[in-house]
Each structure stands twice: as C-alpha cells, then as structure tokens.
Amino acid sequence: MEASKVIHAIYTDDDILMSAVKKVKAEKHHIEEIYTPFPVHGLDKAMGLEPTRIAITAFIYGLIGLTVAIVMMNFIMIEDWPQNIGGKPSFSYIENMPAFVPIMFELTVFFAAHLMVITFYLRSRMWPFKNAENPDPRTTDDHFLMEIAVHGNENELESLLKETGAVEVNLVDKAH
Amino acid sequence: MVLGAVGVGIGFMTSHKSFEEVEQLLAEESHHGGGHAEEASHDEASHGTHAAVDAHGDSHGESAHAEVDEHAKHIEHVQHQIANRPWSALYVAAFFFMMIALGVLAFYAIQIASQAGWSPVLFRVMEGITAYLLPGALIVLAIAVASGTIGHYNLFVWMDPEVVAHDKLIQGKSGWLNIRGFAFRGLIFIAGWSLYRHFSRKFSIAQDTAEDKSNFKKSFRISAAFLVFFIYTESMMSWDWIMSVDPHWFSTLFGWYVFASMFVSGITVIALISIYLKSKGVLEFVNENHLHDVAKFMFAFSIFWTYLWFSQFMLIWYSNIPEEVTYFVTRFQDYKLPFLGMVVMNFVFPILMLMNADYKRIPWFVVMAGLVILFGHYVDIFNMIMPATVGDRWFIGLPEISSVLLFAGLFIFVVFTALTKAPLLVKGYPFRKESEDFHY
C-alpha cells in the first residue's frame, strides 16, 4: 500500500465512537485503525477483532520454564554431583522434589511473564527509539480517531462519518 | 415466584427421595457397625490363636513374657483402631458437610462486607446452604463429645483419662484439651456462627420489603464483625475438632489450611447448586458471567489450598524434626494414594480444567471440576482424621460411603428446604441491579 488516501474521523466521546464504529461496520467499510487515549471497553468486539492468543503463549512459556527448572536441577543436584547436603535425599529427583518446588514455581512464573511481555512487544512492534505512529497528538489526550481507507468514495464516506457525530473529518495522504 | 417455588419443590422432592435412601443406608450402616465388632473380635481371635498358648500362660500368671505383653498390646491397638472406624467415618462426613456450610457463610460475609457487585443474585443460594450450619455443626460437636462419653474415646485419645495419666505431653495440654472446655468452646463457636447466620438472613429478608437501606447497613456491620469472630473461632475450631486427634502434634498454619479447604468446597457447592437451580429454570437472573466468577474463585482457592498444603508439608519435610514429622510419615507410609491423590484432585485437576476462560463458562465443565474438587476435599478431611484414629486400617468402604450419603442427604434436605423459604432473588439489596446486569 504505497501512497494512498485515508479518512481520519475525530470524535470526542467514547460512546459516540462506539456507535460510529457499529454504524461504519454495518455499512461494510473497512476500519484501518482506531486511536484512543485509553482502553474503550468493548471496542475490539465492535470492530470485530479476533481475541488475543497471548494467554496461550504464556501457558506454553510457563511449561517451558517448568521444564527448564526440572532439567536443570535434576542435572545439577542429582546427576552431576549428588552430594549429601544436610541429609537431603539426593538419590532421585522425586525424593528431593519438595526442596526444588520453590524454584520450579518461580521459573515457571518468570518464563511465563517475561516471554509473554516480550511476545507482546514483538507482536505490537514496540521498542525503545521507535518512531511514534501517531496521526494526531490529541488522540493521546482526549480525542478519538478512526482511520478508514478510501477507494474513490470520499464523499460518501465523509457524509457518513459526519452523520455519526465526528467533530472533524480529514482526508489525508498516507505515505507508507 | 410461583415458578421458583415449583422448581424448588421439584428439587426438594428429589432431595427427599435421596434422604430416605440414606436413612435406609444408615440402618445398613449400623448393621455394618455390628459386623465390624464381629470382625474385630474375629481379628482378635485369629491373632489370639497365634498367642493363645502364651496368653493362656499369661492368665495363669507366673511368667509374663514381654513378648506376650507386646502382642496383647498390639491386639488391643488394632481392636481399638477397628472400633474407631465407623466413628471416624461418621465424623469425617459430618465435618465435611458442616465445613461446606461454614465456608459458604464466610464467603457470604465477605461478599457483603466487600460490597461485591456481582454476587447478590447468589445470596439466597448462599443463605440456603448456610442453613445447614447450625444442625451440621451441632452434629459434629455431638459426635465428638459422644465419642468421649458414650463411645470408648474413639476419636480423641486425650479424652481418655487413662491415656492422659500416662502421657506427660497431653497432661501439659490438658488446660486446653479437656472435654468440658472442648464442649464449651464448641458451643460458643456454633452460637457465634449461627447468630450471624440468623441475623444476616433476617436482615436480608427484611431488606426485601424495606423502604430504606437500614437493613443493608446492619448486615454490613455484622458481617464485618462476624469475619473477625470467624477467623479466630475457625482457627480454634480447627485445633479442637481436627488437630487434637493428634494431640502430640501441632502446626501453626493448620487453621488457615482447614479454612482454605472449607472455603473452596463451599464455593464449589455454591456453583453446583446455582447450576442445578438454573437448569431447573428458577435462577434466570444468574448468567454465565456469574458462573465464570464463581469458577474463578474455585480455581484461585484450589491454588491457595495447595499453597498452604505444600507450605505445611514442605516446612516439616525440610526440617525433619522427629516430633513433627511423624505426622507426615504415617500419612506417607499408610495413606500414599489418598495423600497424593488429593493433591492431584485438588490442584492438578482444577488448575488444568479451570484455567481456560471459556471452560469456566460451560456449566457441565464446572460441575465436573466441582465434583472432583469436592471429592478431593473429602479425602483431605479423611487424611486429617483417619491416620490418627484408624491408622493403617483405613479403607473407603461401606461406613465411609454410607456416612457421606447420610450427611449428603441431610445437607441436601436442609438446604433445599431453606431455599423454599424465601424468594431466590434479593429484592431491595442496593447492589441487586448491578449484579443482575453483571457481565464480564
């Protein structure tokens, strides 16, 4: 998508935004993006976004962390050097397992949390020194912005968006 | 409302049937109790023949071998264990259902005190369940005291004056562990809980027709006060009613551990009864979002229970101090399957079943997980009581199952009768609207 035109419709109220989203969806226009200063409850449902799968990744990462903990301590404490430390039974993993549980638990949480956060950053393309993709600085304060791609139907779209209560409708050239 | 009454009436009738069923089972049980005595004497006889000659010589007097002495002691020990079994089975089941009602009462008080916005639609279900508390707790206390007065000290060895006479450790604790104090404390606990239950129910029903919110404010205040009372008495109750079956052993987080167990089973029963009543069409205002929240509580408190269980186990296992560790040694040697099985049922199963948000909204899924959790917590109580009373002569057989059925029948009877006594939706409660519209 090289130089194409998009419409930016700006709203000042999240309730109006929600009804506008529903209307635009009902008219079967594709909403490229919506910028809001805070999470609007139910917006993802109204836009028809797919539910996130990040919880599933976190579960898998947790299992990986658990495996790492078990393999690590089995090797260090049982296989590599099964020393008698204070009479703890280092004969097999299961015999000394209660002593390892705190580490198993913490590593599970550690892996699940950190890898999930990193996954989130990667998927949402966030990192330090990244250029902000903000079409209008007011959207970080008190305005809501809906971006719709234009395919030669500017006028029709513009009147529709005005109708939905947009305070501003701008036609913008978008260079990618 | 009419529909509600009819639906509850149906529930009442089905529960009534099961109650009669259990009454029959109780008769069977007492018959079985007789069978046990026979078995005990039989066991004694078979052991006896082994030592018959020696015992004979012993009765005749002169040369009492130490060996004989030991053998006679062993027989006595085993006989005592076998005699304890129906008592313990009854006690475990009675305590299990009492603790469900008590757990629900604590949950109810927390919901009111925290002014929860999601749960008011379930208040009448909770109030129905807590109706079992008074009879249930009295039965538990009655069994405990009866075991020391009518029975032959079948549950608590410290009730036996002969044992105490030879036991310095129990003598040192007799300031707390004596039957009179035990009964007295028990009555105070039960009185406090029942008073709260009585008044909160009264205010709740009064609020239905009240013009102002004064009843709500009153129930808010007594809930806060009850929670303070509860956490003290619950700890003491767990020392008295459960920990003292092992009077040589003590653990500091035991009260919390018992609390976790009763809380999670209570919440599970709320879920099960709500789902049942909803399936009968009398709880239209309860939707899958409420179910989701209750299932989240089941999930979270299963983990909380595991946390306390493991903390207690691991601290004692790690330091391995002989006078404390015997508690787990007997459980590990003689009760391996229930001891480890309950961890699977109370932790592994719920954590895998109830982790997914979608599964928590599916009634049959919650019912399935709930039944496993309930069974797991029965086994938990079983593991607390049985090793001290019957030792390695445990089995989940007729006495255990029939006691569970008896108290399950009584529980269902009392709860569903109480549910017919009031409309199933709180009317004037300030958070009712919010709760009805609740969605997650």
Side-chain angles (χ1 to χ4, degrees):
Chain A
M1 228 176 18
E2 56 291 346
S4 65
K5 290 195 168 174
V6 292
I7 282 189
H8 284 173
I10 294 180
Y11 300 86
T12 49
D13 189 286
D14 48 345
D15 285 338
I16 297 171
L17 175 76
M18 282 294 286
S19 61
V21 168
K22 279 171 196 154
K23 208 161 192 178
V24 171
K25 283 303 264 191
E27 299 280 329
K28 298 223 183 322
H29 292 293
H30 178 69
I31 300 173
E32 292 271 304
E33 194 64 88
I34 294 182
Y35 297 88
T36 64
F38 52 77
V40 177
H41 190 75
L43 187 60
D44 51 342
K45 270 217 183 90
M47 286 173 70
L49 298 182
E50 277 183 29
T52 171
R53 288 168 303 190
I54 198 149
I56 299 168
T57 66
F59 182 72
I60 295 166
Y61 297 147
L63 292 183
I64 294 171
L66 185 63
T67 314
V68 167
I70 292 172
V71 170
M72 177 179 77
M73 284 179 299
N74 186 42
F75 176 72
I76 297 173
M77 302 300 290
I78 309 295
E79 283 174 14
D80 192 35
W81 197 350
Q83 212 182 186
N84 182 346
I85 303 166
K88 284 277 160 286
S90 305
F91 308 110
S92 71
Y93 189 78
I94 200 77
E95 274 178 280
N96 209 2
M97 198 198 59
F100 302 145
V101 165
I103 299 158
M104 284 153 65
F105 170 77
E106 294 294 348
L107 276 184
T108 308
V109 175
F110 180 87
F111 272 64
H114 287 82
L115 291 180
M116 175 175 76
V117 168
I118 292 169
T119 308
F120 169 72
Y121 285 153
L122 292 177
R123 282 294 285 149
S124 45
R125 301 168 184 284
M126 276 165 54
W127 55 85
F129 313 114
K130 177 192 163 77
N131 289 326
E133 300 165 357
N134 198 347
D136 191 323
R138 287 175 301 172
T139 59
T140 61
D141 183 15
D142 60 348
H143 284 62
F144 304 83
L145 189 149
M146 188 195 296
E147 183 177 295
I148 301 172
V150 180
H151 308 286
N153 50 355
E154 297 100 307
N155 295 334
E156 180 208 335
L157 258 176
E158 231 166 274
S159 61
L160 172 70
L161 289 169
K162 279 278 183 208
E163 221 177 276
T164 60
V167 292
E168 251 179 59
V169 179
N170 306 324
L171 193 62
V172 193
D173 278 328
K174 197 176 185 185
H176 274 284
Chain B
M1 197 108 87
V2 176
L3 191 70
V6 170
V8 173
I10 294 165
F12 178 78
M13 267 150 64
T14 52
S15 69
H16 196 69
K17 229 181 275 163
S18 74
F19 185 64
E20 277 167 3
E21 225 170 73
V22 232
E23 270 184 332
Q24 196 184 336
L25 273 166
L26 179 69
E28 264 175 55
E29 188 194 1
S30 62
H31 172 72
H32 198 76
H36 252 307
E38 267 169 38
E39 197 182 306
S41 60
H42 178 72
D43 204 16
E44 194 185 14
S46 67
H47 272 275
T49 49
H50 191 61
V53 186
D54 285 347
H56 199 65
D58 188 29
S59 70
H60 274 285
E62 279 97 59
S63 56
H65 302 146
E67 199 184 319
V68 178
D69 230 22
E70 211 168 280
H71 202 85
K73 258 187 198 160
H74 177 69
I75 291 167
E76 203 178 294
H77 179 67
V78 169
Q79 186 188 4
H80 203 69
Q81 284 182 336
I82 290 171
N84 285 346
R85 195 175 147 202
W87 279 94
S88 314
L90 205 61
Y91 189 68
V92 169
F95 186 87
F96 177 68
F97 285 98
M98 187 283 294
M99 97 177 174
I100 290 174
L102 187 56
V104 172
L105 191 66
F107 188 71
Y108 177 72
I110 289 173
Q111 296 302 309
I112 292 180
S114 63
Q115 306 194 357
W118 66 275
S119 51
V121 292
L122 296 173
F123 277 0
R124 284 290 144 79
V125 175
M126 298 184 206
E127 286 166 16
I129 297 170
T130 54
Y132 181 75
L133 182 61
L134 181 60
L138 285 176
I139 290 170
V140 173
L141 190 65
I143 295 172
V145 172
S147 78
T149 48
I150 307 167
H152 204 266
Y153 317 112
N154 293 89
L155 289 170
F156 302 96
V157 285
W158 56 263
M159 286 181 177
D160 189 344
E162 266 176 53
V163 172
V164 177
H166 298 290
D167 194 322
K168 277 253 161 52
L169 277 171
I170 301 183
Q171 278 168 22
K173 294 183 182 181
S174 60
W176 179 272
L177 293 181
N178 53 71
I179 295 190
R180 200 167 296 169
F182 179 89
F184 182 66
R185 283 192 303 274
L187 286 176
I188 289 181
F189 305 156
I190 295 171
W193 303 334
S194 310
L195 277 178
Y196 169 69
R197 197 268 162 191
H198 174 77
F199 281 108
S200 65
R201 169 82 164 176
K202 196 177 130 197
F203 294 146
S204 166
I205 287 174
Q207 184 68 62
D208 275 3
T209 51
E211 308 269 303
D212 55 4
K213 302 292 175 219
S214 63
N215 289 300
F216 162 69
K217 283 182 189 159
K218 277 188 232 162
S219 72
F220 176 78
R221 277 193 216 112
I222 59 169
S223 298
F226 166 74
L227 285 170
V228 175
F229 176 79
F230 171 78
I231 206 61
Y232 282 102
T233 49
E234 191 273 335
S235 283
M236 290 190 250
M237 178 275 282
S238 71
W239 307 335
D240 265 359
W241 296 1
I242 295 190
M243 202 157 81
S244 78
V245 292
D246 289 292
H248 285 183
W249 181 81
F250 62 89
S251 162
T252 39
L253 61 67
F254 198 76
W256 281 105
Y257 172 59
V258 174
F259 167 74
S261 201
M262 69 168 60
F263 209 56
V264 68
S265 357
I267 294 166
T268 306
V269 170
I270 295 174
L272 294 183
I273 291 186
S274 311
I275 291 171
Y276 174 73
L277 290 176
K278 193 172 159 53
S279 73
K280 291 282 167 205
V282 292
L283 282 183
E284 265 96 13
F285 39 85
V286 172
N287 57 40
E288 57 173 15
N289 298 295
H290 299 107
L291 181 62
H292 189 165
D293 264 28
V294 177
K296 270 192 276 187
F297 269 106
M298 283 161 62
F299 174 73
F301 277 93
S302 289
I303 295 172
F304 180 65
W305 174 88
T306 315
Y307 169 64
L308 292 178
W309 171 82
F310 182 72
S311 302
Q312 176 167 289
F313 171 72
M314 199 260 264
L315 285 179
I316 290 174
W317 172 86
Y318 212 116
S319 59
N320 206 13
I321 300 171
E323 61 259 38
E324 283 180 8
V325 87
T326 49
Y327 185 81
F328 284 111
V329 168
T330 48
R331 273 156 188 76
F332 215 78
Q333 278 172 355
D334 302 333
Y335 286 74
K336 202 164 238 164
L337 182 66
F339 187 73
L340 298 174
M342 78 173 174
V343 182
V344 174
M345 285 191 287
N346 292 340
F347 176 62
V348 180
F349 191 81
I351 203 177
L352 293 177
M353 291 295 117
L354 293 176
M355 194 187 282
N356 190 315
D358 296 331
Y359 292 171
K360 285 198 275 264
R361 310 174 83 88
I362 305 172
W364 67 265
F365 222 90
V366 176
V367 168
M368 203 177 65
L371 290 176
V372 173
I373 291 175
L374 278 186
F375 188 61
H377 284 283
Y378 172 77
V379 175
D380 186 17
I381 305 299
F382 187 85
N383 269 325
M384 291 181 197
I385 302 286
M386 286 296 182
T389 52
V390 301
D392 57 356
R393 313 220 136 241
W394 68 277
F395 190 71
I396 299 197
L398 203 58
E400 284 78 10
I401 294 171
S402 47
S403 333
V404 168
L405 287 178
L406 166 70
F407 284 106
L410 185 64
F411 181 83
I412 293 169
F413 176 76
V414 171
V415 169
F416 279 79
T417 311
L419 283 172
T420 58
K421 298 278 167 62
L424 286 173
L425 179 60
V426 283
K427 266 227 194 64
Y429 194 78
F431 298 105
R432 188 199 75 170
K433 183 81 178 76
E434 182 184 343
S435 176
E436 277 182 285
D437 295 341
F438 173 74
H439 85 108
Y440 167 74

